[in-house]
Protein backbone atom coordinates (compact mmCIF):
# COMPACT_ATOMS: atom_id res chain seq x y z
CA UNK A 1 0.00 0.00 0.00
CA UNK A 2 1.22 3.51 -0.79
CA UNK A 3 0.85 5.64 2.34
CA UNK A 4 0.10 9.32 2.74
CA UNK A 5 2.59 10.02 5.50
CA UNK A 6 1.72 12.91 7.82
CA UNK A 7 3.87 11.80 10.77
CA UNK A 8 6.54 14.41 10.10
CA UNK A 9 8.28 16.37 7.37
CA UNK A 10 11.36 14.32 8.28
CA UNK A 11 9.87 11.51 6.14
CA UNK A 12 10.37 13.48 2.92
CA UNK A 13 12.33 11.69 0.20
CA UNK A 14 14.79 13.55 -2.02
CA UNK A 15 13.52 14.98 -5.29
CA UNK A 16 14.67 13.69 -8.69
CA UNK A 17 16.89 16.74 -9.08
CA UNK A 18 18.53 16.01 -5.71
CA UNK A 19 19.20 12.41 -6.69
CA UNK A 20 20.91 13.57 -9.89
CA UNK A 21 22.95 16.20 -8.05
CA UNK A 22 24.03 13.55 -5.52
CA UNK A 23 25.11 11.15 -8.26
CA UNK A 24 27.31 13.78 -9.92
CA UNK A 25 28.63 15.66 -6.86
CA UNK A 26 32.27 16.65 -6.83
CA UNK A 27 33.81 15.08 -3.71
CA UNK A 28 36.79 15.25 -1.37
CA UNK A 29 37.63 14.47 2.26
CA UNK A 30 35.58 16.88 4.35
CA UNK A 31 37.51 16.14 7.54
CA UNK A 32 40.45 17.79 5.71
CA UNK A 33 38.02 20.54 4.61
CA UNK A 34 38.52 19.37 1.00
CA UNK A 35 35.04 18.49 -0.15
CA UNK A 36 34.11 21.26 -2.60
CA UNK A 37 30.40 20.46 -2.48
CA UNK A 38 30.28 20.61 1.33
CA UNK A 39 32.28 23.85 1.26
CA UNK A 40 29.83 25.33 -1.24
CA UNK A 41 26.79 24.32 0.84
CA UNK A 42 28.33 25.75 4.01
CA UNK A 43 29.11 29.06 2.31
CA UNK A 44 25.63 29.27 0.77
CA UNK A 45 23.95 28.50 4.09
CA UNK A 46 26.00 31.08 5.99
CA UNK A 47 25.30 33.76 3.39
CA UNK A 48 21.59 33.00 3.39
CA UNK A 49 21.43 33.38 7.17
CA UNK A 50 23.69 36.41 7.32
CA UNK A 51 26.37 34.55 9.30
CA UNK A 52 30.13 34.33 8.74
CA UNK A 53 30.48 30.56 8.46
CA UNK A 54 28.60 27.27 8.34
CA UNK A 55 29.24 23.66 9.31
CA UNK A 56 27.48 20.68 7.71
CA UNK A 57 26.34 18.22 10.38
CA UNK A 58 24.49 14.91 10.09
CA UNK A 59 21.38 16.02 12.00
CA UNK A 60 19.59 18.87 13.72
CA UNK A 61 20.26 17.13 17.02
CA UNK A 62 24.01 17.15 16.41
CA UNK A 63 23.85 20.78 15.26
CA UNK A 64 22.14 21.84 18.49
CA UNK A 65 24.46 19.69 20.62
CA UNK A 66 27.63 20.99 18.95
CA UNK A 67 26.32 24.55 19.41
CA UNK A 68 25.64 24.06 23.12
CA UNK A 69 29.06 22.44 23.62
CA UNK A 70 30.75 25.29 21.79
CA UNK A 71 28.94 27.95 23.85
CA UNK A 72 29.10 26.23 27.27
CA UNK A 73 31.48 24.30 29.49
CA UNK A 74 30.66 21.58 32.05
CA UNK A 75 28.42 22.90 34.82
CA UNK A 76 27.25 25.88 32.80
CA UNK A 77 23.55 26.45 32.33
CA UNK A 78 21.32 26.80 29.27
CA UNK A 79 17.97 28.56 29.54
CA UNK A 80 15.30 27.21 27.19
CA UNK A 81 11.60 26.52 26.84
CA UNK A 82 10.07 23.48 28.51
CA UNK A 83 8.67 22.54 25.07
CA UNK A 84 12.01 23.11 23.35
CA UNK A 85 13.23 20.30 21.11
CA UNK A 86 16.63 20.34 22.79
CA UNK A 87 15.00 19.80 26.19
CA UNK A 88 12.33 17.27 25.16
CA UNK A 89 13.57 15.29 22.18
CA UNK A 90 17.36 15.20 22.09
CA UNK A 91 17.89 12.36 24.57
CA UNK A 92 19.34 14.70 27.18
CA UNK A 93 22.51 14.97 25.08
CA UNK A 94 23.61 18.32 26.48
CA UNK A 95 23.66 16.88 30.02
CA UNK A 96 24.85 13.38 29.14
CA UNK A 97 27.68 14.44 26.84
CA UNK A 98 28.41 18.02 27.86
CA UNK A 99 27.60 18.19 31.57
CA UNK A 100 25.48 21.22 30.68
CA UNK A 101 22.60 22.03 33.00
CA UNK A 102 19.18 22.72 31.39
CA UNK A 103 17.10 25.44 33.05
CA UNK A 104 13.60 25.40 31.58
CA UNK A 105 11.04 28.18 31.62
CA UNK A 106 7.49 27.76 30.30
CA UNK A 107 6.82 28.12 26.60
CA UNK A 108 3.71 30.24 26.15
CA UNK A 109 0.97 28.86 23.85
CA UNK A 110 2.27 31.19 21.11
CA UNK A 111 5.70 29.53 21.30
CA UNK A 112 7.44 32.45 22.98
CA UNK A 113 9.26 32.60 26.30
CA UNK A 114 8.21 35.54 28.48
CA UNK A 115 10.95 38.17 28.51
CA UNK A 116 10.55 38.56 32.28
CA UNK A 117 10.97 34.77 32.67
CA UNK A 118 14.20 34.91 30.65
CA UNK A 119 15.48 37.76 32.84
CA UNK A 120 14.51 35.99 36.08
CA UNK A 121 16.08 32.72 34.96
CA UNK A 122 19.54 34.24 34.61
CA UNK A 123 21.55 33.34 37.73
CA UNK A 124 23.35 35.87 39.83
CA UNK A 125 27.05 35.40 40.45
CA UNK A 126 26.91 33.11 43.45
CA UNK A 127 28.89 29.98 44.22
CA UNK A 128 25.69 28.00 44.78
CA UNK A 129 24.52 28.46 41.19
CA UNK A 130 25.58 27.20 37.81
CA UNK A 131 26.71 29.95 35.42
CA UNK A 132 24.01 30.99 32.92
CA UNK A 133 25.69 31.01 29.51
CA UNK A 134 23.14 30.48 26.75
CA UNK A 135 19.52 31.06 25.76
CA UNK A 136 18.01 28.70 23.17
CA UNK A 137 15.07 29.87 21.07
CA UNK A 138 13.19 27.67 18.57
CA UNK A 139 11.58 28.99 15.38
CA UNK A 140 9.24 27.50 14.26
CA UNK A 141 8.32 26.09 17.67
CA UNK A 142 7.41 22.47 16.96
CA UNK A 143 5.68 21.34 20.17
CA UNK A 144 3.71 24.61 20.47
CA UNK A 145 1.96 23.78 17.20
CA UNK A 146 4.59 24.74 14.62
CA UNK A 147 4.06 28.43 15.36
CA UNK A 148 6.52 30.97 13.93
CA UNK A 149 8.07 33.71 16.08
CA UNK A 150 8.24 37.29 14.77
CA UNK A 151 11.41 39.32 14.21
CA UNK A 152 10.23 41.75 16.90
CA UNK A 153 9.95 38.98 19.47
CA UNK A 154 13.28 37.42 18.48
CA UNK A 155 14.97 40.82 18.87
CA UNK A 156 13.43 41.37 22.29
CA UNK A 157 14.35 37.91 23.59
CA UNK A 158 17.89 38.05 22.18
CA UNK A 159 18.40 41.53 23.67
CA UNK A 160 17.31 40.33 27.11
CA UNK A 161 19.83 37.48 26.93
CA UNK A 162 22.66 39.61 25.55
CA UNK A 163 22.11 42.31 28.19
CA UNK A 164 22.57 39.61 30.83
CA UNK A 165 25.81 38.44 29.17
CA UNK A 166 24.38 35.27 27.59
CA UNK A 167 24.80 34.08 24.02
CA UNK A 168 21.75 33.04 22.00
CA UNK A 169 21.40 29.87 19.92
CA UNK A 170 18.44 29.42 17.58
CA UNK A 171 17.10 25.96 16.86
CA UNK A 172 15.90 26.92 13.41
CA UNK A 173 15.23 23.37 12.23
CA UNK A 174 12.29 24.85 10.27
CA UNK A 175 13.56 28.42 9.93
CA UNK A 176 12.42 28.62 6.30
CA UNK A 177 8.85 27.74 7.33
CA UNK A 178 9.14 30.66 9.74
CA UNK A 179 10.50 33.07 7.14
CA UNK A 180 7.78 32.12 4.64
CA UNK A 181 5.16 32.57 7.38
CA UNK A 182 6.59 35.91 8.53
CA UNK A 183 7.22 37.11 4.95
CA UNK A 184 10.86 37.93 5.73
CA UNK A 185 14.25 36.93 4.32
CA UNK A 186 15.94 34.35 6.55
CA UNK A 187 18.60 36.70 7.89
CA UNK A 188 15.88 38.89 9.43
CA UNK A 189 15.09 36.03 11.80
CA UNK A 190 18.70 35.20 12.53
CA UNK A 191 20.71 38.43 12.63
CA UNK A 192 20.04 38.84 16.36
CA UNK A 193 21.37 35.41 17.44
CA UNK A 194 24.92 34.11 17.84
CA UNK A 195 24.37 30.72 16.24
CA UNK A 196 21.66 28.86 14.38
CA UNK A 197 21.00 25.29 13.27
CA UNK A 198 18.64 24.62 10.38
CA UNK A 199 17.63 21.33 8.80
CA UNK A 200 17.88 20.40 5.14
CA UNK A 201 16.17 17.08 5.76
CA UNK A 202 12.69 18.23 6.80
CA UNK A 203 10.42 20.32 4.55
CA UNK A 204 13.37 21.02 2.25
CA UNK A 205 13.47 17.29 1.29
CA UNK A 206 17.21 16.57 1.41
CA UNK A 207 17.80 13.03 2.68
CA UNK A 208 20.26 13.90 5.47
CA UNK A 209 21.81 16.88 7.13
CA UNK A 210 21.62 20.22 8.87
CA UNK A 211 23.87 23.27 8.88
CA UNK A 212 25.12 25.04 12.00
CA UNK A 213 26.01 28.68 11.32
CA UNK A 214 27.77 31.34 13.37
CA UNK A 215 30.94 33.43 13.52
CA UNK A 216 34.17 32.04 12.00
CA UNK A 217 35.62 31.53 15.46
CA UNK A 218 32.51 29.75 16.73
CA UNK A 219 32.38 27.42 13.70
CA UNK A 220 36.08 26.58 14.12
CA UNK A 221 35.29 25.36 17.64
CA UNK A 222 32.11 23.58 16.49
CA UNK A 223 34.17 21.82 13.80
CA UNK A 224 36.41 20.31 16.48
CA UNK A 225 33.35 19.31 18.52
CA UNK A 226 31.72 17.69 15.48
CA UNK A 227 34.83 15.53 15.13
CA UNK A 228 34.66 14.67 18.84
CA UNK A 229 31.04 13.57 18.41
CA UNK A 230 31.96 11.33 15.48
CA UNK A 231 30.32 13.60 12.95
CA UNK A 232 33.25 14.01 10.53
CA UNK A 233 31.70 12.57 7.38
CA UNK A 234 34.52 12.36 4.78
CA UNK A 235 33.01 12.43 1.23
CA UNK A 236 29.90 14.14 2.55
CA UNK A 237 29.47 16.13 -0.66
CA UNK A 238 27.23 13.34 -1.86
CA UNK A 239 24.77 14.52 0.82
CA UNK A 240 25.59 18.21 0.64
CA UNK A 241 24.71 18.17 -3.09
CA UNK A 242 21.09 17.52 -2.16
CA UNK A 243 21.33 20.27 0.44
CA UNK A 244 22.37 22.76 -2.23
CA UNK A 245 19.29 21.90 -4.31
CA UNK A 246 17.24 22.23 -1.10
CA UNK A 247 18.52 25.76 -0.49
CA UNK A 248 18.24 26.81 -4.13
CA UNK A 249 14.80 25.43 -4.90
CA UNK A 250 12.85 24.25 -1.90
CA UNK A 251 12.57 27.15 0.54
CA UNK A 252 9.97 29.35 -1.13
CA UNK A 253 7.69 26.45 -2.04
CA UNK A 254 7.08 25.79 1.68
CA UNK A 255 4.12 28.17 1.27
CA UNK A 256 2.36 25.29 -0.53
CA UNK A 257 2.74 23.08 2.55
CA UNK A 258 1.30 25.86 4.70
CA UNK A 259 -1.68 26.15 2.32
CA UNK A 260 -2.21 22.38 2.52
CA UNK A 261 -2.11 22.52 6.33
CA UNK A 262 -4.76 25.27 6.25
CA UNK A 263 -6.98 23.26 3.87
CA UNK A 264 -6.54 20.13 5.97
CA UNK A 265 -7.42 21.98 9.18
CA UNK A 266 -10.49 23.50 7.48
CA UNK A 267 -11.65 20.03 6.41
CA UNK A 268 -10.99 18.29 9.71
CA UNK A 269 -12.55 20.92 11.96
CA UNK A 270 -15.91 20.23 10.30
CA UNK A 271 -15.88 16.61 11.52
CA UNK A 272 -17.83 15.92 14.68
CA UNK A 273 -15.57 15.01 17.58
CA UNK A 274 -12.42 16.56 16.08
CA UNK A 275 -11.09 19.83 17.47
CA UNK A 276 -8.13 21.83 16.27
CA UNK A 277 -5.42 22.05 18.93
CA UNK A 278 -2.53 24.44 19.67
CA UNK A 279 -3.93 27.25 17.51
CA UNK A 280 -3.75 25.05 14.40
CA UNK A 281 -2.99 25.36 11.63
CA UNK A 282 0.44 26.97 12.05
CA UNK A 283 2.94 26.87 9.18
CA UNK A 284 2.98 23.24 7.94
CA UNK A 285 1.48 21.61 11.04
CA UNK A 286 -2.03 20.69 12.15
CA UNK A 287 -2.49 19.49 15.71
CA UNK A 288 -5.88 17.95 16.53
CA UNK A 289 -7.52 16.51 19.62
CA UNK A 290 -10.31 13.91 19.72
CA UNK A 291 -13.39 14.73 21.78
CA UNK A 292 -13.82 12.21 24.64
CA UNK A 293 -17.44 11.73 23.43
CA UNK A 294 -16.04 9.79 20.45
CA UNK A 295 -14.98 7.07 22.87
CA UNK A 296 -11.86 6.50 20.76
CA UNK A 297 -8.24 7.07 21.72
CA UNK A 298 -5.51 8.25 19.37
CA UNK A 299 -3.95 4.79 19.10
CA UNK A 300 -7.20 3.17 17.91
CA UNK A 301 -7.85 5.92 15.38
CA UNK A 302 -4.24 5.82 14.16
CA UNK A 303 -4.58 2.06 13.51
CA UNK A 304 -7.81 2.60 11.57
CA UNK A 305 -6.23 5.41 9.56
CA UNK A 306 -3.24 3.21 8.75
CA UNK A 307 -5.57 0.65 7.20
CA UNK A 308 -6.92 3.55 5.10
CA UNK A 309 -3.37 4.35 3.95
CA UNK A 310 -2.85 7.39 6.19
CA UNK A 311 0.00 7.62 8.71
CA UNK A 312 -0.40 10.15 11.53
CA UNK A 313 1.82 11.19 14.43
CA UNK A 314 0.45 10.69 17.94
CA UNK A 315 1.01 13.68 20.22
CA UNK A 316 -0.86 12.48 23.31
CA UNK A 317 -3.60 10.03 24.39
CA UNK A 318 -6.21 11.76 22.20
CA UNK A 319 -3.90 14.04 20.22
CA UNK A 320 -2.35 13.96 16.77
CA UNK A 321 0.20 16.00 14.88
CA UNK A 322 -0.26 16.07 11.11
CA UNK A 323 2.62 17.56 9.14
CA UNK A 324 2.31 18.72 5.53
CA UNK A 325 5.32 18.49 3.22
CA UNK A 326 6.41 18.26 -0.41
CA UNK A 327 5.00 14.76 -0.89
CA UNK A 328 1.50 15.75 0.27
CA UNK A 329 -0.21 16.96 -2.90
CA UNK A 330 -3.41 19.03 -3.40
CA UNK A 331 -5.62 15.98 -4.01
CA UNK A 332 -4.37 14.25 -0.84
CA UNK A 333 -6.10 16.79 1.41
CA UNK A 334 -9.61 15.57 0.49
CA UNK A 335 -8.41 11.96 0.59
CA UNK A 336 -7.16 12.47 4.16
CA UNK A 337 -10.39 14.12 5.34
CA UNK A 338 -12.45 11.31 3.74
CA UNK A 339 -10.25 8.67 5.40
CA UNK A 340 -10.88 10.33 8.78
CA UNK A 341 -14.64 10.24 8.09
CA UNK A 342 -14.51 6.51 7.31
CA UNK A 343 -12.28 5.76 10.31
CA UNK A 344 -14.67 7.65 12.58
CA UNK A 345 -17.63 5.90 10.88
CA UNK A 346 -19.19 9.20 9.85
CA UNK A 347 -18.77 8.70 6.09
N1 LIG B 1 11.98 16.89 15.08
C1 LIG B 1 11.34 15.62 14.82
C2 LIG B 1 11.23 14.80 16.11
O1 LIG B 1 12.46 14.72 16.72
C3 LIG B 1 10.24 15.33 17.10
C4 LIG B 1 9.98 15.87 14.20
O2 LIG B 1 9.41 14.89 13.68
O3 LIG B 1 9.49 17.01 14.24
N2 LIG B 1 14.84 20.80 16.22
C5 LIG B 1 13.53 20.72 15.94
C6 LIG B 1 12.66 21.89 16.20
C7 LIG B 1 12.99 19.53 15.41
O4 LIG B 1 11.69 19.48 15.16
C8 LIG B 1 13.85 18.44 15.17
C9 LIG B 1 13.30 17.12 14.67
C10 LIG B 1 15.21 18.58 15.46
C11 LIG B 1 15.68 19.78 15.99
C12 LIG B 1 16.19 17.44 15.29
O5 LIG B 1 16.46 17.16 13.97
P1 LIG B 1 17.09 15.73 13.56
O6 LIG B 1 15.95 14.76 13.50
O7 LIG B 1 17.71 16.01 12.24
O8 LIG B 1 18.09 15.37 14.60
Amino acid sequence: MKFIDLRSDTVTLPTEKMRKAMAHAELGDDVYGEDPTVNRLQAMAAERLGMEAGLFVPSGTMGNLAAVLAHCGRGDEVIMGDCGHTFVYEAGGISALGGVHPHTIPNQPDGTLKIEDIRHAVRSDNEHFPKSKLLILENTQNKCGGVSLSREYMLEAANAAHQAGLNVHLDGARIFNATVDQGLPAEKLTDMVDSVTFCLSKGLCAPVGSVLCGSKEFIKEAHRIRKQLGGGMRQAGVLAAAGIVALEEMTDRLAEDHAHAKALADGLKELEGIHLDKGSPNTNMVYIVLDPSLGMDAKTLATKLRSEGILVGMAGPRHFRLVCHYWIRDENVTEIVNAFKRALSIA
Side-chain angles (χ1 to χ4, degrees), residues 257-272:
D257 301 341
H258 299 184
H260 287 152
K262 165 100 179 55
L264 184 57
D266 285 346
L268 290 177
K269 75 175 183 213
E270 296 306 322
L271 307 186
E272 211 177 313

Side-chain angles (χ1 to χ4, degrees), residues 53-66:
L55 183 71
F56 188 46
V57 287
S59 65
T61 301
M62 191 185 284
N64 289 335
L65 177 58

Side-chain angles (χ1 to χ4, degrees), residues 7-11 58-64 83-86 89-90 138-143 171-174 197 199-202 208-210 285 287 321 323:
R7 288 172 302 168
S8 182
D9 44 13
T10 59
V11 303
S59 65
T61 301
M62 191 185 284
N64 289 335
C83 294
H85 194 276
T86 304
Y89 296 117
E90 295 177 12
E138 185 176 315
N139 198 5
T140 62
Q141 216 302 338
N142 183 351
K143 212 172 182 300
D171 177 354
R174 297 185 180 82
T197 306
C199 295
L200 298 159
S201 60
K202 299 194 166 60
V208 176
S210 295
M285 296 189 186
Y287 278 77
R321 183 187 71 162
V323 186

Side-chain angles (χ1 to χ4, degrees), residues 74-93:
R74 296 188 75 78
D76 288 343
E77 184 171 81
V78 178
I79 298 168
M80 61 184 139
D82 59 355
C83 294
H85 194 276
T86 304
F87 180 62
V88 183
Y89 296 117
E90 295 177 12

